[in-house]
Every structure is written in structure tokens, then in C-alpha cells.
Amino acid sequence: MKPKKLTAPQVREVLKKIHFTGFLGVRLAGLHRDGLTLACAVRKHLLNSAEVLHGGVTATLADAAAGVALHYLLGSHRAITTVEMKINYFRPVSEGEIFARAHLVRMGATLCVGRVDITDERRRMIGTALITYMILANRGAAS
Amino acid sequence: MKPKKLTAPQVREVLKKIHFTGFLGVRLAGLHRDGLTLACAVRKHLLNSAEVLHGGVTATLADAAAGVALHYLLGSHRAITTVEMKINYFRPVSEGEIFARAHLVRMGATLCVGRVDITDERRRMIGTALITYMILANRGAAS
Amino acid sequence: MKPKKLTAPQVREVLKKIHFTGFLGVRLAGLHRDGLTLACAVRKHLLNSAEVLHGGVTATLADAAAGVALHYLLGSHRAITTVEMKINYFRPVSEGEIFARAHLVRMGATLCVGRVDITDERRRMIGTALITYMILANRGAAS
Amino acid sequence: MKPKKLTAPQVREVLKKIHFTGFLGVRLAGLHRDGLTLACAVRKHLLNSAEVLHGGVTATLADAAAGVALHYLLGSHRAITTVEMKINYFRPVSEGEIFARAHLVRMGATLCVGRVDITDERRRMIGTALITYMILANRGAAS
């Protein structure tokens, strides 16, 4: 049976439980057929020494976008963990918001792969990521 | 001419200018012939929804370790930017400190590559990363 | 000035000069606005010990697709080299042809990034790759 | 119970069954506590259009080194598959032999990660790779 997708309020609940992305001010910006979009505003404490957004923030947003997208599509009754992530940075960002659009391109029984395209407010690509997640166990079984 | 390495206080100055790692509480834990070690204490706001350290924190620490190591070995008179990063996660961490040991394995004229091994307080590997940096320009020329 | 794209016969000439892909039987399968598609038939000597296509063949095809796409879009008057590649494998292939569709997602002055989606004859995704190329020098300057 | 490592002749048997690496002329160059070294001679048909070794050959050798190392350490009674690979290229090679030294840095119940350092005959690093393997099933159970 195909899992029932989460609703937008449920996705926001999932996001709310991730301490670190809450700390960074990450918000849900949209739901899509094959994933979702998270957004994060560029703020002073998220910058590096060149006064542009730190790559770690972009990596965090990409990782979170793929992970929350997986919860969204799986109906969230699963524990998941990031196996590995690869990210390419195309251009620096110093203001506005950035958007991470996650596409789940492979949904396996154990491993899932997300592609995340990151853009700035002017819709310019600022990076792209490939992330592998592992589904750990069926938490929903007992619930 | 071979660049003169930075001193430990100078490396701490470089680290201090990175807003985001300051925000995460990253500190210099050691200098080595081919790189350095950064450390970060696991705290509540750095966790994910499974109450373990968010992968984005680990990625940020690895990226910063390779970048600061590059400043350390280049003598800091260069602007650098992360081209891409790849990180594998081996085990979750829920307490103590994590350590990112950066080894610069390739120092090219334009591109440099760092390998970063991440361990927990019990010296267990919790992940490993490969990071490519680009040297942008010789800021020292004019100074 | 925007570089003039190569024609299909010119792209085939570029491909013909790559000894290793010739050895594997790689062919041009299509040209697109942002890249191209290469194909390779699964044959006995390209398999691994599980009698499915060796991942090295898929990686070679992806690398070649991004590289030849770059020559195609740059008009080929440039020397390029692969900086790094990342590939995820989704499913094994044991027969027919595989197709590597390269999209150049970032064309910088020095670095270019290609995304390559690999599919089988039934159009199922069998993997995806992210590849960074470096433009080495303007060989066209003297010609 | 800890698995019994394969012997050198058994490792050569494993390698012999991989059609593609046989085709490339890959040989076992050494066994180590945490992995092994494979070697491959640079020959005309393995080059690219710049007359240096094609990156796909290096990627194949790295993938094979990690995979065969896994068979070696697991005692080979397991089916494995490459989940993903990431490789950085440091310098071109045009002659002699290249060596891929695989270190298995993570041996999990399901996922294993290998780091592979690739060198030329003069022991210069020509690249490095990180590769994730998945253990599929216990083929030894029924035998």
C-alpha cells in the first residue's frame, strides 16, 4: 500500500522538531509532487568571514529539505538517517532568502536519494546537492 | 617561495571572523603539519528530531576545518571558497564534543582538497569528508 | 561573445578522440539545449562478478557525457579536465543500452558543473551523477 | 564471530570474476590489514582525448579496490553492491602503472565505506575516492 503523504501542517510539525533548523530559522516554502521546498533567510550570524552565507548553512538546508521531503512522502512513520551528502556551490549569497527544492529521485526499500537545487531570491542556482538517506525501521508498526 | 604558516593565535583570529562557526561554538583543538583539528560541543540546539547531532553541524565543522586549515597553511593571504563537499556519516552522536581533523591532501595553484575525519570523544569515527576549495585571488599582493 | 556550439558531426569527432569510450562502444544518442546524451550497450566484458554492468562503466559514461557536453557548448576550443565526480547507483542493469543525459547546470569562467541522469532502455533511472570540470586554457586563442 | 579473511589466491579468484576489471588488466598488488591495493597499467586504449588516463579508468579501479577489499575482509560470503562513489582527481597520468589503495573505514551491518587513495609509480597522489557499499544478503547461509 502506498503511504499517505503528510499534510502541510504535519510537515511543519516535523520541521519544528528539528532543533538545529529551528535555530537557523528554516521554514517550509512549498510542497510538490516529488518533494518540497524549504527556505532560510540570510542573517549576520549565518555568514562566513567573507560576509557571505556559510556553506554549512546551505548544506544544512539541503540535508533538511531531503529529509523532511522523505518524511512528507513516507507519511513520517519511519525513522531515517542521512547516509551521505554531496553539495556543489555555484555562487555566494549575501542577502535575502535561499530556497532548497528537494526532489526525491530514488525511493528504495532501504535507501532513498534526493536531489536538492538551491536558489536565491532571484531564482539563480547557488548550488545543488545529492543526498542519500537510509530508512531505519518502521516506527508506525506499533503505533 | 613557500608560504609562512599562521601561528595558533592567528588561526584563532581567522576562526573568530567566521560568524557561523562562532555561533555554533567551534574552537581550535590542534595544529598539525598537514592541517588542523576543530572541535564543537554537542548542545541541544544543534540536534535533529532524533535528538542526535544534526548532520548540518558535522558538515559545517568539516567545511570549516578544511577552510581554516587552508588559511593556516597558505599564511591566510588568500581568499578561498568552497567548491564542493562530500560527507559520509557513520554513527550518531548525542553528547560530548566532536572533532574534525583536516588533512590537506592536495595543494594546487587553483584547487585544494582536504580530507576531514570526524571523531567523537571516544575517538570513534563518526564520519569522513572530502572538500574542494578554490583559491580566488592573492589578497596579499596589495597589502 | 557567446561560443558557437559544435555540430553533431563535430561532437562525434570529439567523442571519437576519446580512446577509452571508443573502447567501451559509447555513441552519441542526442543533443539538447543544455547538454547531450551518450549511450553504451551492455556487453559481457563490461559486467562485474554479479553479471550486471560494472559501476565503472556507468561512471565512465557519466564523466564522458558531461565532458563532451562541455566541448559541445563551449565550441570545443578549450582544454578541460575532470576535477571530481560523484555518482549514485539506483538499480543494476544486465542487458540493453544505458543512456547518460548530461545537463550543464553551472558554466563558470573556470569551473563547470554537470548533472547526469542515467537511464536504461525502459527509461528507468539507474543512477545520477554530479561532475565538476575545470576549463584549463583557451586553446582557440592561437588558432 | 569475526569473518575469516580470504587468502591472496582467493582474492585473485574474486578479482578474476569481475569481467570489466579483467578487460582493463587490473591486478592485485598487495593485501593490508584494513584493505588492499589494486594496480592497472596505463595503456593506449585507456586514455582520453588529451592522451592521459581516462577518469573512468581511475574510478573503476577505485570502485573495484573498495569492493574487492570488502570481499577480502568479509570472507566473500556476501553479495555487495556500490551505493555511491565520489572521486577527486589531482593530476593526470600518461604512463606506467596506477595503484588504488583501499582502506575500509566503516564496516556497518548494512553499509560499508571505503577510502581509496590512488597513486602513480612515483608514489604521487593522483586522486582519492570515498565509496559506499551495501551488503545485500548472506549468500553463505545456504552453502
Side-chain angles (χ1 to χ4, degrees):
Chain A
M1 204 185 72
K2 217 177 162 182
K4 198 170 170 290
K5 282 184 190 179
L6 297 187
T7 61
Q10 286 173 320
V11 172
R12 275 191 203 93
E13 275 306 303
V14 168
L15 191 56
K16 214 170 142 182
K17 285 179 189 155
I18 309 173
H19 306 273
F20 188 51
T21 49
F23 188 56
L24 301 189
V26 173
R27 68 174 182 87
L28 178 66
L31 294 175
H32 320 288
R33 195 188 49 78
D34 68 342
L36 50 72
T37 301
L38 297 183
C40 181
V42 177
R43 285 177 300 157
K44 184 77 177 177
H45 62 276
L46 306 181
L47 305 182
N48 63 22
S49 57
E51 305 297 326
V52 297
L53 194 68
H54 194 285
V57 177
T58 315
T60 299
L61 191 67
D63 185 351
V68 176
L70 200 47
H71 281 302
Y72 164 55
L73 294 178
L74 289 174
S76 198
H77 301 296
R78 299 298 197 98
I80 60 173
T81 189
T82 312
V83 170
E84 56 89 33
M85 137 176 282
K86 151 76 161 118
I87 184 165
N88 274 68
Y89 300 98
F90 297 163
R91 58 166 71 232
V93 184
S94 53
E95 56 176 10
E97 257 189 324
I98 64 165
F99 299 87
R101 165 67 164 98
H103 305 256
L104 288 173
V105 292
R106 171 66 180 157
M107 299 286 277
T110 307
L111 298 177
C112 298
V113 177
R115 174 163 62 85
V116 184
D117 291 324
I118 306 124
T119 49
D120 66 10
E121 282 194 351
R122 295 165 58 185
R123 293 175 179 269
R124 292 178 302 191
M125 284 277 278
I126 61 167
T128 191
L130 268 180
I131 307 171
T132 308
Y133 266 86
M134 190 177 193
I135 301 176
L136 292 175
N138 195 337
R139 292 192 299 195
S143 64
Chain B
M1 203 183 69
K2 215 175 163 180
K4 198 168 170 291
K5 281 184 190 178
L6 297 187
T7 61
Q10 286 174 321
V11 172
R12 275 193 203 92
E13 275 306 304
V14 168
L15 190 55
K16 216 170 139 181
K17 284 178 190 155
I18 309 173
H19 307 272
F20 188 52
T21 51
F23 187 57
L24 301 189
V26 173
R27 69 175 181 85
L28 179 65
L31 294 176
H32 319 288
R33 191 187 50 76
D34 68 342
L36 51 72
T37 301
L38 297 184
C40 181
V42 177
R43 287 178 299 158
K44 184 78 177 175
H45 63 275
L46 307 182
L47 304 181
N48 63 23
S49 58
E51 304 297 327
V52 296
L53 194 68
H54 194 284
V57 177
T58 315
T60 299
L61 191 68
D63 186 351
V68 177
L70 200 49
H71 281 302
Y72 165 53
L73 294 178
L74 290 174
S76 198
H77 300 298
R78 297 300 196 96
I80 61 175
T81 189
T82 312
V83 170
E84 57 89 32
M85 135 174 286
K86 152 74 161 120
I87 183 164
N88 274 67
Y89 300 98
F90 297 163
R91 58 166 69 234
V93 186
S94 54
E95 55 176 13
E97 256 188 326
I98 63 164
F99 299 87
R101 164 67 164 98
H103 304 258
L104 289 173
V105 292
R106 171 67 181 159
M107 299 284 278
T110 306
L111 298 178
C112 297
V113 177
R115 173 163 62 86
V116 184
D117 290 324
I118 306 126
T119 50
D120 66 11
E121 282 193 353
R122 295 167 60 185
R123 294 178 178 269
R124 292 178 303 191
M125 284 277 278
I126 60 168
T128 191
L130 269 180
I131 307 169
T132 308
Y133 265 87
M134 190 176 192
I135 300 176
L136 291 175
N138 195 337
R139 290 193 301 198
S143 64
Chain C
M1 204 184 69
K2 215 176 162 181
K4 196 168 170 292
K5 283 186 191 177
L6 297 187
T7 61
Q10 286 174 320
V11 172
R12 276 192 203 94
E13 276 306 304
V14 168
L15 189 56
K16 214 170 142 183
K17 285 179 189 154
I18 309 173
H19 305 276
F20 188 51
T21 49
F23 188 56
L24 301 189
V26 173
R27 69 177 181 85
L28 177 66
L31 295 176
H32 319 287
R33 194 189 47 77
D34 69 341
L36 52 73
T37 301
L38 296 185
C40 180
V42 177
R43 286 177 300 157
K44 184 77 176 176
H45 62 276
L46 306 182
L47 305 182
N48 64 21
S49 58
E51 305 298 327
V52 297
L53 195 68
H54 194 284
V57 177
T58 315
T60 299
L61 191 68
D63 185 350
V68 176
L70 200 48
H71 281 303
Y72 165 54
L73 294 178
L74 290 174
S76 197
H77 300 298
R78 298 299 197 96
I80 61 174
T81 189
T82 312
V83 169
E84 56 89 34
M85 137 175 283
K86 151 77 159 120
I87 183 165
N88 274 66
Y89 299 98
F90 297 162
R91 59 166 68 236
V93 185
S94 54
E95 54 177 12
E97 259 190 323
I98 64 164
F99 298 87
R101 166 66 164 99
H103 304 256
L104 289 172
V105 292
R106 172 67 180 157
M107 300 285 281
T110 306
L111 297 178
C112 297
V113 177
R115 173 164 63 85
V116 184
D117 291 324
I118 305 123
T119 49
D120 66 10
E121 281 193 352
R122 294 165 60 185
R123 294 178 178 270
R124 294 178 300 192
M125 283 276 278
I126 60 169
T128 191
L130 269 180
I131 306 170
T132 308
Y133 266 85
M134 189 177 194
I135 300 176
L136 291 175
N138 195 337
R139 290 193 301 199
S143 63
Chain D
M1 205 184 69
K2 215 176 162 180
K4 198 168 169 290
K5 281 184 191 179
L6 297 187
T7 61
Q10 286 174 320
V11 172
R12 276 192 201 94
E13 275 306 304
V14 168
L15 190 56
K16 215 170 140 181
K17 285 180 190 153
I18 309 172
H19 307 273
F20 188 51
T21 50
F23 188 56
L24 301 189
V26 173
R27 67 177 181 87
L28 178 66
L31 294 177
H32 319 287
R33 194 188 48 76
D34 69 341
L36 51 72
T37 301
L38 296 184
C40 181
V42 177
R43 286 178 298 157
K44 183 77 176 178
H45 62 277
L46 306 181
L47 305 182
N48 64 22
S49 58
E51 305 297 326
V52 296
L53 195 67
H54 193 283
V57 177
T58 315
T60 299
L61 191 68
D63 185 350
V68 176
L70 200 48
H71 281 302
Y72 164 54
L73 295 177
L74 290 174
S76 197
H77 300 296
R78 298 298 197 98
I80 60 174
T81 189
T82 312
V83 170
E84 56 90 32
M85 135 175 284
K86 151 78 160 122
I87 184 165
N88 274 67
Y89 300 97
F90 297 164
R91 61 165 67 234
V93 185
S94 54
E95 55 176 11
E97 257 190 323
I98 64 164
F99 299 87
R101 165 65 164 101
H103 305 256
L104 288 173
V105 293
R106 171 65 180 158
M107 298 285 279
T110 306
L111 298 178
C112 298
V113 177
R115 172 164 62 85
V116 184
D117 291 324
I118 305 124
T119 50
D120 66 10
E121 282 194 352
R122 296 166 59 184
R123 292 174 179 272
R124 294 178 300 193
M125 284 276 277
I126 60 168
T128 191
L130 268 180
I131 306 170
T132 308
Y133 265 86
M134 189 177 195
I135 300 176
L136 290 175
N138 195 336
R139 290 193 300 198
S143 63

